[in-house]
Amino acid sequence: MQLKDSKSWDYKPARDKKNNIYSTGMLRLHELLTPYDACNLECDGLTRVLHTVLRCDDIEHSCFVGSLTDTRQEKHIPLHFWIELPDGRTVDYRARMWIREADDIPHGIFNKADYPHIQYSGQKTTLEPLSPILFEALTMKNPFEGFLKNQPNE
């Protein structure tokens, strides 16, 4: 799945589970990232994995570190990692891990405005992509498989 240039994405409307309109490009992005939700990782590890996937496909994004708060329950998570996309959407597959498993807590790729009771507060952070070995160890998947097959054995 290659999403090399977000400007060239096909913007044919489609709908997600909450009936939000997604472009075909966003659906492809969802298909690219969602399989990693199954990894047994917390927000910092999964953000690093997703950052590596996005960097490998040259998909523009920014990583953030900060806090997460559910203002209705006054539940505050003081250290949290997530990703933001240039179109304003947020990528966070671990908010429910920390707050609670419920449909009114964001999960996946979403628009923050759909969850006004959830507040993200933080700053951009620079993360290095994971090495192929560390990526595979964390995910049990190898996105560099084709690359590694073409390398001479040492």
Side-chain angles (χ1 to χ4, degrees):
M1 178 135 343
Q2 298 291 326
L3 300 175
K4 292 292 183 190
D5 181 4
S6 61
K7 294 176 185 163
S8 67
W9 290 358
D10 176 11
Y11 286 100
K12 179 180 173 186
R15 296 189 180 269
D16 68 4
K17 291 179 184 176
K18 293 187 84 165
N19 209 28
N20 292 322
I21 294 177
Y22 272 145
S23 68
T24 302
M26 286 302 292
L27 286 176
R28 280 185 268 164
L29 185 61
H30 176 80
E31 291 170 355
L32 181 68
L33 300 180
T34 299
Y36 298 99
D37 184 21
C39 295
N40 191 21
L41 300 169
E42 295 184 0
C43 60
D44 57 334
L46 187 58
T47 296
R48 290 173 190 276
V49 165
L50 299 179
H51 167 63
T52 302
V53 171
L54 293 169
R55 283 280 303 266
C56 283
D57 274 20
D58 294 327
I59 299 171
E60 188 178 345
H61 66 284
S62 298
C63 298
F64 281 76
V65 62
S67 63
L68 177 64
T69 303
D70 183 342
T71 59
R72 297 169 308 171
Q73 299 180 11
E74 297 183 18
K75 179 123 185 182
H76 179 72
I77 310 305
L79 182 60
H80 190 66
F81 287 78
W82 68 94
I83 293 172
E84 293 190 4
L85 302 172
D87 70 355
R89 294 205 185 241
T90 299
V91 179
D92 186 354
Y93 288 87
R94 292 301 180 255
R96 290 182 181 177
M97 173 185 271
W98 299 116
I99 295 177
R100 67 184 162 80
E101 290 287 332
D103 289 340
D104 63 343
I105 305 300
H107 185 81
I109 304 168
F110 57 90
N111 186 333
K112 288 182 197 173
D114 293 339
Y115 302 91
H117 55 283
I118 302 296
Q119 293 180 347
Y120 286 81
S121 178
Q123 58 191 22
K124 284 184 185 180
T125 187
T126 302
L127 300 176
E128 292 299 320
L130 298 170
S131 69
I133 291 170
L134 187 52
F135 184 94
E136 190 170 5
L138 291 175
T139 65
M140 302 308 289
K141 298 178 184 199
N142 187 351
F144 307 102
E145 185 174 345
F147 172 77
L148 293 175
K149 285 181 181 176
N150 296 324
Q151 297 300 309
N153 292 332
E154 293 184 27

